C-alpha cells in the first residue's frame, strides 16, 4: 500500500500543452520532494517544499504544498519533449521517507 | 564534483546466491541511503547510514543488510536471493542525516535474479 498516491499514473500529451500531476496522502509530512527520473538513471531532485501552502517555481514548473502538508501538485506549462520522464513525489516524516509510485509523462513533439 | 557512483551497474545472479552492491557518495556527504525500485512497488526505502551507523531502516527482511565505512562509502548485501529481489537498487547521498535534506541519487545497480 502506497502512503503517497500519485495521479495520473500515465500521461501522454503534445508539446506545448499544460499539465498537472498530483501527490496525495492521508499523512502529514514535514517536507515533500519532487524528483524526475529518466530511463537508466537515478531520480534527480527538482524541489523540496516544507511549509504548508508553499509555492515554488522552477522555470516552467510550479510546485505547491497543500495547506495541511498532506498533498502536493506539480504544474508544467508549455510542456516540452525534454520534460518526458517519471515524476516521483516523496514525503518525509519522523525520519522516514516514502515515495509515490510516480507519474510517467510522455511529451510528444 | 563527481556524483554518486554505484558498482556494478548490472548484475545477474541465481536464487540462493548472495550479492554485494557498492556505493560511493559525493565527496563530503556523510549520509547514504539505499532504495529498492520495482515496477510493482515503486521506490522503497531500505536503510540509511550516517557516520558508519545505521540510523533508519525500512520494512525489509534481515536478508538485506548494509554497512558504511569511515570514508562514507557504503555496501549493501542481500543473502539467499529470491526471484522477487530482482530490482533496481539505488543509493542516495546527502550532506547530513536529515531525510528532508537534498538527496543525490546514483544511477543504480540493476539486479536480475534467475
Amino acid at each position: 500500500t502506497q502512503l503517497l498516491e500519485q495521479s495520473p499514473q500515465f500521461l501522454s500529451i503534445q508539446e506545448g500543452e499544460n499539465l498537472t500531476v498530483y501527490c496525495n496522502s492521508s499523512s502529514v509530512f514535514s517536507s515533500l520532494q519532487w524528483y524526475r527520473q529518466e530511463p537508466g538513471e537515478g531520480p534527480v531532485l527538482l524541489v523540496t517544499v516544507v511549509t504548508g501552502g508553499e509555492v515554488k517555481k522552477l522555470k516552467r514548473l510550479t510546485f505547491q504544498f497543500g495547506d495541511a502538508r498532506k498533498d502536493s501538485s506539480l504544474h508544467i506549462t508549455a510542456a516540452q519533449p525534454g520534460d518526458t520522464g517519471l515524476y516521483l513525489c516523496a514525503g518525509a516524516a519522523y525520519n522516514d521517507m516514502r515515495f509515490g509510485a510516480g507519474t510517467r509523462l510522455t511529451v510528444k513533439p | 564534483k563527481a556524483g554518486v557512483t554505484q558498482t556494478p551497474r548490472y548484475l545477474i545472479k541465481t536464487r540462493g546466491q548472495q550479492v554485494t552492491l557498492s556505493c560511493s557518495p559525493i565527496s563530503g556527504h556523510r549520509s547514504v541511503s539505499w532504495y529498492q525500485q520495482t515496477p510493482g512497488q515503486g521506490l522503497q526505502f531500505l536503510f540509511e547510514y550516517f557516520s558508519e551507523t545505521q540510523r533508519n531502516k525500512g520494512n525489509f527482511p534481515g536478508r538485506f543488510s548494509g554497512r558504511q565505512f569511515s570514508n562514507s562509502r557504503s555496501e549493501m548485501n542481500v543473502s539467499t536471493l529470491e526471484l522477487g529481489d530482482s530490482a533496481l537498487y539505488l543509493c542516495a547521498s546527502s550532506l547530513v542525516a536529515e531525510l528532508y535534506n537534498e538527496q543525490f541519487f546514483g544511477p543504480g545497480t540493476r539486479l536480475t535474479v534467475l
Side-chain angles (χ1 to χ4, degrees), chain A residues 2 31 33 35 37 40-43 45 48 86 88 92 95-97 99, chain B residues 9 35 37 41 43 45 55-56 88 90 99-103 105-107:
Chain A
Q2 294 285 351
S31 70
Q33 301 178 336
Y35 294 81
Q37 184 177 20
E41 300 294 330
L45 180 67
T48 299
L86 178 67
L88 296 160
N95 270 339
D96 183 26
M97 177 164 277
F99 280 79
Chain B
R9 290 293 308 274
Y35 296 85
Q37 187 175 33
Q41 296 296 320
L43 240 165
F45 173 71
R55 285 176 48 96
N56 296 295
L88 181 66
L90 292 160
L99 283 177
Y100 59 75
N101 259 281
E102 189 173 29
Q103 293 191 72
F105 282 84

PDB file of all heavy atoms in Angstrom, chain A residues 2 31 33 35 37 40-43 45 48 86 88 92 95-97 99, chain B residues 9 35 37 41 43 45 55-56 88 90 99-103 105-107:
ATOM      1  N   GLN A   2       0.617   2.127  -0.978  1.00  0.00           N
ATOM      2  CA  GLN A   2       1.394   3.353  -1.067  1.00  0.00           C
ATOM      3  C   GLN A   2       0.824   4.378  -0.095  1.00  0.00           C
ATOM      4  O   GLN A   2      -0.370   4.648  -0.093  1.00  0.00           O
ATOM      5  CB  GLN A   2       1.332   3.904  -2.490  1.00  0.00           C
ATOM      6  CG  GLN A   2       2.009   3.032  -3.537  1.00  0.00           C
ATOM      7  CD  GLN A   2       3.519   3.142  -3.466  1.00  0.00           C
ATOM      8  OE1 GLN A   2       4.063   3.975  -2.757  1.00  0.00           O
ATOM      9  NE2 GLN A   2       4.196   2.270  -4.172  1.00  0.00           N
ATOM     10  N   SER A  31       8.152  17.511   5.127  1.00  0.00           N
ATOM     11  CA  SER A  31       8.604  18.085   3.863  1.00  0.00           C
ATOM     12  C   SER A  31       8.194  17.151   2.739  1.00  0.00           C
ATOM     13  O   SER A  31       7.913  15.968   2.972  1.00  0.00           O
ATOM     14  CB  SER A  31      10.121  18.274   3.844  1.00  0.00           C
ATOM     15  OG  SER A  31      10.764  17.016   3.796  1.00  0.00           O
ATOM     16  N   GLN A  33       9.239  16.228  -1.421  1.00  0.00           N
ATOM     17  CA  GLN A  33      10.175  16.463  -2.515  1.00  0.00           C
ATOM     18  C   GLN A  33       9.613  15.898  -3.817  1.00  0.00           C
ATOM     19  O   GLN A  33       8.885  14.903  -3.811  1.00  0.00           O
ATOM     20  CB  GLN A  33      11.525  15.789  -2.199  1.00  0.00           C
ATOM     21  CG  GLN A  33      12.145  16.307  -0.907  1.00  0.00           C
ATOM     22  CD  GLN A  33      13.442  15.621  -0.552  1.00  0.00           C
ATOM     23  OE1 GLN A  33      13.713  14.515  -0.945  1.00  0.00           O
ATOM     24  NE2 GLN A  33      14.282  16.328   0.210  1.00  0.00           N
ATOM     25  N   TYR A  35      10.912  14.561  -7.642  1.00  0.00           N
ATOM     26  CA  TYR A  35      12.047  14.097  -8.421  1.00  0.00           C
ATOM     27  C   TYR A  35      11.586  13.786  -9.839  1.00  0.00           C
ATOM     28  O   TYR A  35      10.426  13.458 -10.073  1.00  0.00           O
ATOM     29  CB  TYR A  35      12.635  12.803  -7.834  1.00  0.00           C
ATOM     30  CG  TYR A  35      13.266  12.923  -6.473  1.00  0.00           C
ATOM     31  CD1 TYR A  35      12.500  12.922  -5.315  1.00  0.00           C
ATOM     32  CD2 TYR A  35      14.654  13.012  -6.351  1.00  0.00           C
ATOM     33  CE1 TYR A  35      13.091  13.014  -4.079  1.00  0.00           C
ATOM     34  CE2 TYR A  35      15.254  13.087  -5.109  1.00  0.00           C
ATOM     35  CZ  TYR A  35      14.469  13.093  -3.990  1.00  0.00           C
ATOM     36  OH  TYR A  35      15.053  13.177  -2.755  1.00  0.00           O
ATOM     37  N   GLN A  37      12.884  11.146 -12.953  1.00  0.00           N
ATOM     38  CA  GLN A  37      13.785  10.039 -13.245  1.00  0.00           C
ATOM     39  C   GLN A  37      13.663   9.669 -14.719  1.00  0.00           C
ATOM     40  O   GLN A  37      12.557   9.482 -15.234  1.00  0.00           O
ATOM     41  CB  GLN A  37      13.443   8.813 -12.380  1.00  0.00           C
ATOM     42  CG  GLN A  37      14.401   7.653 -12.550  1.00  0.00           C
ATOM     43  CD  GLN A  37      14.066   6.493 -11.631  1.00  0.00           C
ATOM     44  OE1 GLN A  37      12.950   6.379 -11.129  1.00  0.00           O
ATOM     45  NE2 GLN A  37      15.030   5.610 -11.384  1.00  0.00           N
ATOM     46  N   GLY A  40      17.181   4.380 -16.999  1.00  0.00           N
ATOM     47  CA  GLY A  40      18.578   4.042 -16.781  1.00  0.00           C
ATOM     48  C   GLY A  40      19.321   4.966 -15.837  1.00  0.00           C
ATOM     49  O   GLY A  40      20.540   4.815 -15.656  1.00  0.00           O
ATOM     50  N   GLU A  41      18.597   5.900 -15.230  1.00  0.00           N
ATOM     51  CA  GLU A  41      19.238   6.845 -14.319  1.00  0.00           C
ATOM     52  C   GLU A  41      18.528   6.861 -12.978  1.00  0.00           C
ATOM     53  O   GLU A  41      17.414   6.366 -12.837  1.00  0.00           O
ATOM     54  CB  GLU A  41      19.200   8.261 -14.917  1.00  0.00           C
ATOM     55  CG  GLU A  41      19.904   8.400 -16.256  1.00  0.00           C
ATOM     56  CD  GLU A  41      21.394   8.177 -16.149  1.00  0.00           C
ATOM     57  OE1 GLU A  41      21.973   8.464 -15.079  1.00  0.00           O
ATOM     58  OE2 GLU A  41      21.992   7.689 -17.140  1.00  0.00           O
ATOM     59  N   GLY A  42      19.203   7.434 -11.979  1.00  0.00           N
ATOM     60  CA  GLY A  42      18.553   7.617 -10.696  1.00  0.00           C
ATOM     61  C   GLY A  42      17.701   8.875 -10.700  1.00  0.00           C
ATOM     62  O   GLY A  42      17.850   9.733 -11.574  1.00  0.00           O
ATOM     63  N   PRO A  43      16.788   9.013  -9.742  1.00  0.00           N
ATOM     64  CA  PRO A  43      15.958  10.220  -9.653  1.00  0.00           C
ATOM     65  C   PRO A  43      16.808  11.462  -9.401  1.00  0.00           C
ATOM     66  O   PRO A  43      17.814  11.400  -8.689  1.00  0.00           O
ATOM     67  CB  PRO A  43      15.042   9.939  -8.454  1.00  0.00           C
ATOM     68  CG  PRO A  43      15.080   8.458  -8.276  1.00  0.00           C
ATOM     69  CD  PRO A  43      16.440   8.033  -8.711  1.00  0.00           C
ATOM     70  N   LEU A  45      16.554  15.341  -7.949  1.00  0.00           N
ATOM     71  CA  LEU A  45      15.697  16.215  -7.152  1.00  0.00           C
ATOM     72  C   LEU A  45      15.362  17.497  -7.904  1.00  0.00           C
ATOM     73  O   LEU A  45      16.243  18.175  -8.431  1.00  0.00           O
ATOM     74  CB  LEU A  45      16.397  16.576  -5.834  1.00  0.00           C
ATOM     75  CG  LEU A  45      15.611  17.493  -4.895  1.00  0.00           C
ATOM     76  CD1 LEU A  45      14.377  16.770  -4.354  1.00  0.00           C
ATOM     77  CD2 LEU A  45      16.496  17.969  -3.746  1.00  0.00           C
ATOM     78  N   THR A  48      12.196  20.873  -3.039  1.00  0.00           N
ATOM     79  CA  THR A  48      11.735  20.468  -1.718  1.00  0.00           C
ATOM     80  C   THR A  48      10.807  21.557  -1.196  1.00  0.00           C
ATOM     81  O   THR A  48      11.159  22.735  -1.233  1.00  0.00           O
ATOM     82  CB  THR A  48      12.905  20.298  -0.740  1.00  0.00           C
ATOM     83  OG1 THR A  48      13.777  19.276  -1.220  1.00  0.00           O
ATOM     84  CG2 THR A  48      12.401  19.907   0.641  1.00  0.00           C
ATOM     85  N   LEU A  86       9.751  10.032 -15.496  1.00  0.00           N
ATOM     86  CA  LEU A  86       8.932   9.567 -14.380  1.00  0.00           C
ATOM     87  C   LEU A  86       9.049  10.599 -13.265  1.00  0.00           C
ATOM     88  O   LEU A  86      10.150  10.873 -12.781  1.00  0.00           O
ATOM     89  CB  LEU A  86       9.438   8.206 -13.891  1.00  0.00           C
ATOM     90  CG  LEU A  86       8.717   7.594 -12.694  1.00  0.00           C
ATOM     91  CD1 LEU A  86       7.289   7.225 -13.071  1.00  0.00           C
ATOM     92  CD2 LEU A  86       9.465   6.363 -12.175  1.00  0.00           C
ATOM     93  N   LEU A  88       8.347  11.625  -9.514  1.00  0.00           N
ATOM     94  CA  LEU A  88       8.121  10.982  -8.223  1.00  0.00           C
ATOM     95  C   LEU A  88       7.987  12.038  -7.138  1.00  0.00           C
ATOM     96  O   LEU A  88       8.753  13.004  -7.106  1.00  0.00           O
ATOM     97  CB  LEU A  88       9.299  10.079  -7.870  1.00  0.00           C
ATOM     98  CG  LEU A  88       9.558   8.884  -8.780  1.00  0.00           C
ATOM     99  CD1 LEU A  88      10.990   8.396  -8.622  1.00  0.00           C
ATOM    100  CD2 LEU A  88       8.589   7.762  -8.467  1.00  0.00           C
ATOM    101  N   ALA A  92       8.623  13.136   3.716  1.00  0.00           N
ATOM    102  CA  ALA A  92       9.448  12.792   4.871  1.00  0.00           C
ATOM    103  C   ALA A  92       8.681  13.065   6.145  1.00  0.00           C
ATOM    104  O   ALA A  92       8.076  14.128   6.311  1.00  0.00           O
ATOM    105  CB  ALA A  92      10.742  13.614   4.868  1.00  0.00           C
ATOM    106  N   ASN A  95      11.740  10.814  10.355  1.00  0.00           N
ATOM    107  CA  ASN A  95      12.934  10.131   9.851  1.00  0.00           C
ATOM    108  C   ASN A  95      12.611   8.982   8.902  1.00  0.00           C
ATOM    109  O   ASN A  95      13.396   8.053   8.757  1.00  0.00           O
ATOM    110  CB  ASN A  95      13.806   9.615  10.992  1.00  0.00           C
ATOM    111  CG  ASN A  95      14.822  10.645  11.417  1.00  0.00           C
ATOM    112  OD1 ASN A  95      15.139  11.554  10.655  1.00  0.00           O
ATOM    113  ND2 ASN A  95      15.322  10.516  12.615  1.00  0.00           N
ATOM    114  N   ASP A  96      11.452   9.016   8.310  1.00  0.00           N
ATOM    115  CA  ASP A  96      11.054   8.003   7.337  1.00  0.00           C
ATOM    116  C   ASP A  96      10.694   8.721   6.046  1.00  0.00           C
ATOM    117  O   ASP A  96      10.013   9.740   6.079  1.00  0.00           O
ATOM    118  CB  ASP A  96       9.856   7.226   7.875  1.00  0.00           C
ATOM    119  CG  ASP A  96       9.447   6.104   6.935  1.00  0.00           C
ATOM    120  OD1 ASP A  96      10.318   5.628   6.189  1.00  0.00           O
ATOM    121  OD2 ASP A  96       8.273   5.709   6.967  1.00  0.00           O
ATOM    122  N   MET A  97      11.191   8.220   4.933  1.00  0.00           N
ATOM    123  CA  MET A  97      10.844   8.845   3.659  1.00  0.00           C
ATOM    124  C   MET A  97      10.093   7.835   2.806  1.00  0.00           C
ATOM    125  O   MET A  97      10.556   6.705   2.633  1.00  0.00           O
ATOM    126  CB  MET A  97      12.091   9.328   2.930  1.00  0.00           C
ATOM    127  CG  MET A  97      11.776   9.925   1.568  1.00  0.00           C
ATOM    128  SD  MET A  97      13.131  10.889   0.899  1.00  0.00           S
ATOM    129  CE  MET A  97      12.863  12.440   1.701  1.00  0.00           C
ATOM    130  N   PHE A  99       8.039   7.155  -0.950  1.00  0.00           N
ATOM    131  CA  PHE A  99       7.877   7.625  -2.319  1.00  0.00           C
ATOM    132  C   PHE A  99       6.524   7.196  -2.874  1.00  0.00           C
ATOM    133  O   PHE A  99       6.018   6.115  -2.553  1.00  0.00           O
ATOM    134  CB  PHE A  99       8.971   7.035  -3.214  1.00  0.00           C
ATOM    135  CG  PHE A  99      10.289   7.743  -3.122  1.00  0.00           C
ATOM    136  CD1 PHE A  99      11.146   7.505  -2.063  1.00  0.00           C
ATOM    137  CD2 PHE A  99      10.662   8.649  -4.095  1.00  0.00           C
ATOM    138  CE1 PHE A  99      12.368   8.165  -1.978  1.00  0.00           C
ATOM    139  CE2 PHE A  99      11.876   9.309  -4.020  1.00  0.00           C
ATOM    140  CZ  PHE A  99      12.733   9.067  -2.961  1.00  0.00           C
TER     141      PHE A  99
ATOM    142  N   ARG B   9      26.925  -1.829 -12.361  1.00  0.00           N
ATOM    143  CA  ARG B   9      25.686  -1.269 -12.896  1.00  0.00           C
ATOM    144  C   ARG B   9      24.656  -2.362 -13.172  1.00  0.00           C
ATOM    145  O   ARG B   9      23.461  -2.150 -13.057  1.00  0.00           O
ATOM    146  CB  ARG B   9      25.963  -0.509 -14.196  1.00  0.00           C
ATOM    147  CG  ARG B   9      26.719   0.784 -14.025  1.00  0.00           C
ATOM    148  CD  ARG B   9      25.901   1.841 -13.268  1.00  0.00           C
ATOM    149  NE  ARG B   9      24.589   2.069 -13.828  1.00  0.00           N
ATOM    150  CZ  ARG B   9      24.314   2.914 -14.813  1.00  0.00           C
ATOM    151  NH1 ARG B   9      25.288   3.617 -15.360  1.00  0.00           N
ATOM    152  NH2 ARG B   9      23.072   3.067 -15.244  1.00  0.00           N
ATOM    153  N   TYR B  35      17.708   2.332  -1.603  1.00  0.00           N
ATOM    154  CA  TYR B  35      16.325   2.140  -2.005  1.00  0.00           C
ATOM    155  C   TYR B  35      16.239   0.985  -2.996  1.00  0.00           C
ATOM    156  O   TYR B  35      17.165   0.744  -3.771  1.00  0.00           O
ATOM    157  CB  TYR B  35      15.761   3.396  -2.689  1.00  0.00           C
ATOM    158  CG  TYR B  35      15.674   4.616  -1.799  1.00  0.00           C
ATOM    159  CD1 TYR B  35      16.768   5.457  -1.630  1.00  0.00           C
ATOM    160  CD2 TYR B  35      14.489   4.940  -1.138  1.00  0.00           C
ATOM    161  CE1 TYR B  35      16.687   6.582  -0.825  1.00  0.00           C
ATOM    162  CE2 TYR B  35      14.397   6.065  -0.331  1.00  0.00           C
ATOM    163  CZ  TYR B  35      15.508   6.876  -0.187  1.00  0.00           C
ATOM    164  OH  TYR B  35      15.425   7.998   0.610  1.00  0.00           O
ATOM    165  N   GLN B  37      13.844  -0.252  -6.176  1.00  0.00           N
ATOM    166  CA  GLN B  37      12.811   0.213  -7.092  1.00  0.00           C
ATOM    167  C   GLN B  37      12.362  -0.916  -8.001  1.00  0.00           C
ATOM    168  O   GLN B  37      13.171  -1.518  -8.700  1.00  0.00           O
ATOM    169  CB  GLN B  37      13.310   1.389  -7.943  1.00  0.00           C
ATOM    170  CG  GLN B  37      12.219   2.035  -8.794  1.00  0.00           C
ATOM    171  CD  GLN B  37      12.699   3.257  -9.540  1.00  0.00           C
ATOM    172  OE1 GLN B  37      13.853   3.345  -9.951  1.00  0.00           O
ATOM    173  NE2 GLN B  37      11.807   4.235  -9.732  1.00  0.00           N
ATOM    174  N   GLN B  41       6.122  -2.101  -6.966  1.00  0.00           N
ATOM    175  CA  GLN B  41       6.138  -1.467  -5.641  1.00  0.00           C
ATOM    176  C   GLN B  41       6.718  -0.062  -5.651  1.00  0.00           C
ATOM    177  O   GLN B  41       6.673   0.631  -4.639  1.00  0.00           O
ATOM    178  CB  GLN B  41       6.958  -2.324  -4.663  1.00  0.00           C
ATOM    179  CG  GLN B  41       6.380  -3.693  -4.400  1.00  0.00           C
ATOM    180  CD  GLN B  41       5.033  -3.616  -3.711  1.00  0.00           C
ATOM    181  OE1 GLN B  41       4.819  -2.795  -2.818  1.00  0.00           O
ATOM    182  NE2 GLN B  41       4.111  -4.445  -4.133  1.00  0.00           N
ATOM    183  N   LEU B  43       9.481   2.896  -5.473  1.00  0.00           N
ATOM    184  CA  LEU B  43      10.727   3.125  -4.740  1.00  0.00           C
ATOM    185  C   LEU B  43      10.487   2.891  -3.261  1.00  0.00           C
ATOM    186  O   LEU B  43       9.662   3.563  -2.654  1.00  0.00           O
ATOM    187  CB  LEU B  43      11.179   4.570  -4.961  1.00  0.00           C
ATOM    188  CG  LEU B  43      12.526   4.795  -5.591  1.00  0.00           C
ATOM    189  CD1 LEU B  43      12.661   6.230  -6.078  1.00  0.00           C
ATOM    190  CD2 LEU B  43      13.619   4.524  -4.565  1.00  0.00           C
ATOM    191  N   PHE B  45      12.265   2.456   0.640  1.00  0.00           N
ATOM    192  CA  PHE B  45      13.422   2.760   1.458  1.00  0.00           C
ATOM    193  C   PHE B  45      13.919   1.495   2.158  1.00  0.00           C
ATOM    194  O   PHE B  45      13.148   0.775   2.798  1.00  0.00           O
ATOM    195  CB  PHE B  45      13.019   3.820   2.486  1.00  0.00           C
ATOM    196  CG  PHE B  45      14.048   4.127   3.524  1.00  0.00           C
ATOM    197  CD1 PHE B  45      15.208   4.811   3.194  1.00  0.00           C
ATOM    198  CD2 PHE B  45      13.862   3.743   4.835  1.00  0.00           C
ATOM    199  CE1 PHE B  45      16.153   5.109   4.158  1.00  0.00           C
ATOM    200  CE2 PHE B  45      14.798   4.037   5.812  1.00  0.00           C
ATOM    201  CZ  PHE B  45      15.959   4.726   5.471  1.00  0.00           C
ATOM    202  N   ARG B  55      20.985   4.512  10.886  1.00  0.00           N
ATOM    203  CA  ARG B  55      20.097   5.401  11.622  1.00  0.00           C
ATOM    204  C   ARG B  55      18.630   5.091  11.383  1.00  0.00           C
ATOM    205  O   ARG B  55      17.790   5.317  12.247  1.00  0.00           O
ATOM    206  CB  ARG B  55      20.384   6.854  11.248  1.00  0.00           C
ATOM    207  CG  ARG B  55      21.641   7.422  11.858  1.00  0.00           C
ATOM    208  CD  ARG B  55      21.882   8.811  11.344  1.00  0.00           C
ATOM    209  NE  ARG B  55      20.707   9.643  11.400  1.00  0.00           N
ATOM    210  CZ  ARG B  55      20.418  10.485  12.387  1.00  0.00           C
ATOM    211  NH1 ARG B  55      21.236  10.591  13.410  1.00  0.00           N
ATOM    212  NH2 ARG B  55      19.332  11.220  12.350  1.00  0.00           N
ATOM    213  N   ASN B  56      18.325   4.627  10.195  1.00  0.00           N
ATOM    214  CA  ASN B  56      16.936   4.339   9.848  1.00  0.00           C
ATOM    215  C   ASN B  56      16.880   3.061   9.039  1.00  0.00           C
ATOM    216  O   ASN B  56      17.813   2.747   8.300  1.00  0.00           O
ATOM    217  CB  ASN B  56      16.322   5.471   9.025  1.00  0.00           C
ATOM    218  CG  ASN B  56      16.232   6.764   9.791  1.00  0.00           C
ATOM    219  OD1 ASN B  56      15.512   6.862  10.761  1.00  0.00           O
ATOM    220  ND2 ASN B  56      17.010   7.744   9.373  1.00  0.00           N
ATOM    221  N   LEU B  88      15.912  -2.527  -9.353  1.00  0.00           N
ATOM    222  CA  LEU B  88      16.949  -1.514  -9.462  1.00  0.00           C
ATOM    223  C   LEU B  88      17.242  -1.040  -8.044  1.00  0.00           C
ATOM    224  O   LEU B  88      16.340  -0.591  -7.336  1.00  0.00           O
ATOM    225  CB  LEU B  88      16.478  -0.342 -10.322  1.00  0.00           C
ATOM    226  CG  LEU B  88      17.474   0.798 -10.539  1.00  0.00           C
ATOM    227  CD1 LEU B  88      18.663   0.319 -11.364  1.00  0.00           C
ATOM    228  CD2 LEU B  88      16.803   1.989 -11.211  1.00  0.00           C
ATOM    229  N   LEU B  90      19.015   1.593  -5.729  1.00  0.00           N
ATOM    230  CA  LEU B  90      19.516   2.956  -5.818  1.00  0.00           C
ATOM    231  C   LEU B  90      20.136   3.385  -4.502  1.00  0.00           C
ATOM    232  O   LEU B  90      19.636   3.076  -3.426  1.00  0.00           O
ATOM    233  CB  LEU B  90      18.374   3.913  -6.161  1.00  0.00           C
ATOM    234  CG  LEU B  90      17.788   3.776  -7.564  1.00  0.00           C
ATOM    235  CD1 LEU B  90      16.399   4.393  -7.628  1.00  0.00           C
ATOM    236  CD2 LEU B  90      18.695   4.444  -8.582  1.00  0.00           C
ATOM    237  N   LEU B  99      16.417  13.380   6.508  1.00  0.00           N
ATOM    238  CA  LEU B  99      15.885  12.862   5.251  1.00  0.00           C
ATOM    239  C   LEU B  99      15.329  13.948   4.352  1.00  0.00           C
ATOM    240  O   LEU B  99      15.221  13.754   3.157  1.00  0.00           O
ATOM    241  CB  LEU B  99      14.820  11.809   5.516  1.00  0.00           C
ATOM    242  CG  LEU B  99      15.362  10.442   5.926  1.00  0.00           C
ATOM    243  CD1 LEU B  99      14.221   9.496   6.235  1.00  0.00           C
ATOM    244  CD2 LEU B  99      16.255   9.858   4.851  1.00  0.00           C
ATOM    245  N   TYR B 100      14.967  15.106   4.906  1.00  0.00           N
ATOM    246  CA  TYR B 100      14.438  16.140   4.017  1.00  0.00           C
ATOM    247  C   TYR B 100      15.542  16.939   3.359  1.00  0.00           C
ATOM    248  O   TYR B 100      15.285  17.829   2.584  1.00  0.00           O
ATOM    249  CB  TYR B 100      13.477  17.080   4.751  1.00  0.00           C
ATOM    250  CG  TYR B 100      14.073  17.801   5.934  1.00  0.00           C
ATOM    251  CD1 TYR B 100      14.955  18.864   5.764  1.00  0.00           C
ATOM    252  CD2 TYR B 100      13.741  17.435   7.223  1.00  0.00           C
ATOM    253  CE1 TYR B 100      15.501  19.522   6.845  1.00  0.00           C
ATOM    254  CE2 TYR B 100      14.283  18.093   8.314  1.00  0.00           C
ATOM    255  CZ  TYR B 100      15.156  19.132   8.122  1.00  0.00           C
ATOM    256  OH  TYR B 100      15.687  19.784   9.198  1.00  0.00           O
ATOM    257  N   ASN B 101      16.774  16.577   3.728  1.00  0.00           N
ATOM    258  CA  ASN B 101      17.888  17.213   3.028  1.00  0.00           C
ATOM    259  C   ASN B 101      17.973  16.691   1.608  1.00  0.00           C
ATOM    260  O   ASN B 101      17.555  15.582   1.314  1.00  0.00           O
ATOM    261  CB  ASN B 101      19.191  16.920   3.750  1.00  0.00           C
ATOM    262  CG  ASN B 101      19.633  18.086   4.587  1.00  0.00           C
ATOM    263  OD1 ASN B 101      20.182  19.048   4.086  1.00  0.00           O
ATOM    264  ND2 ASN B 101      19.345  18.000   5.855  1.00  0.00           N
ATOM    265  N   GLU B 102      18.505  17.519   0.752  1.00  0.00           N
ATOM    266  CA  GLU B 102      18.604  17.163  -0.651  1.00  0.00           C
ATOM    267  C   GLU B 102      19.388  15.866  -0.811  1.00  0.00           C
ATOM    268  O   GLU B 102      20.508  15.738  -0.331  1.00  0.00           O
ATOM    269  CB  GLU B 102      19.293  18.287  -1.411  1.00  0.00           C
ATOM    270  CG  GLU B 102      19.256  18.132  -2.915  1.00  0.00           C
ATOM    271  CD  GLU B 102      19.808  19.362  -3.617  1.00  0.00           C
ATOM    272  OE1 GLU B 102      20.673  20.035  -3.034  1.00  0.00           O
ATOM    273  OE2 GLU B 102      19.362  19.631  -4.745  1.00  0.00           O
ATOM    274  N   GLN B 103      18.778  14.901  -1.465  1.00  0.00           N
ATOM    275  CA  GLN B 103      19.417  13.627  -1.715  1.00  0.00           C
ATOM    276  C   GLN B 103      19.831  13.539  -3.177  1.00  0.00           C
ATOM    277  O   GLN B 103      19.058  13.875  -4.060  1.00  0.00           O
ATOM    278  CB  GLN B 103      18.472  12.469  -1.386  1.00  0.00           C
ATOM    279  CG  GLN B 103      18.142  12.325   0.085  1.00  0.00           C
ATOM    280  CD  GLN B 103      17.434  11.027   0.375  1.00  0.00           C
ATOM    281  OE1 GLN B 103      18.024   9.959   0.331  1.00  0.00           O
ATOM    282  NE2 GLN B 103      16.165  11.128   0.662  1.00  0.00           N
ATOM    283  N   PHE B 105      20.974  10.957  -6.063  1.00  0.00           N
ATOM    284  CA  PHE B 105      20.930   9.538  -6.372  1.00  0.00           C
ATOM    285  C   PHE B 105      22.016   9.142  -7.361  1.00  0.00           C
ATOM    286  O   PHE B 105      22.396   9.917  -8.250  1.00  0.00           O
ATOM    287  CB  PHE B 105      19.571   9.170  -6.979  1.00  0.00           C
ATOM    288  CG  PHE B 105      18.470   9.036  -5.971  1.00  0.00           C
ATOM    289  CD1 PHE B 105      17.774  10.148  -5.539  1.00  0.00           C
ATOM    290  CD2 PHE B 105      18.133   7.795  -5.455  1.00  0.00           C
ATOM    291  CE1 PHE B 105      16.756  10.034  -4.609  1.00  0.00           C
ATOM    292  CE2 PHE B 105      17.116   7.669  -4.531  1.00  0.00           C
ATOM    293  CZ  PHE B 105      16.425   8.783  -4.102  1.00  0.00           C
ATOM    294  N   GLY B 106      22.482   7.917  -7.212  1.00  0.00           N
ATOM    295  CA  GLY B 106      23.348   7.313  -8.209  1.00  0.00           C
ATOM    296  C   GLY B 106      22.509   6.708  -9.324  1.00  0.00           C
ATOM    297  O   GLY B 106      21.285   6.725  -9.259  1.00  0.00           O
ATOM    298  N   PRO B 107      23.157   6.142 -10.345  1.00  0.00           N
ATOM    299  CA  PRO B 107      22.437   5.575 -11.481  1.00  0.00           C
ATOM    300  C   PRO B 107      21.783   4.224 -11.167  1.00  0.00           C
ATOM    301  O   PRO B 107      20.940   3.761 -11.919  1.00  0.00           O
ATOM    302  CB  PRO B 107      23.510   5.413 -12.547  1.00  0.00           C
ATOM    303  CG  PRO B 107      24.768   5.235 -11.762  1.00  0.00           C
ATOM    304  CD  PRO B 107      24.619   6.087 -10.536  1.00  0.00           C
TER     305      PRO B 107
END
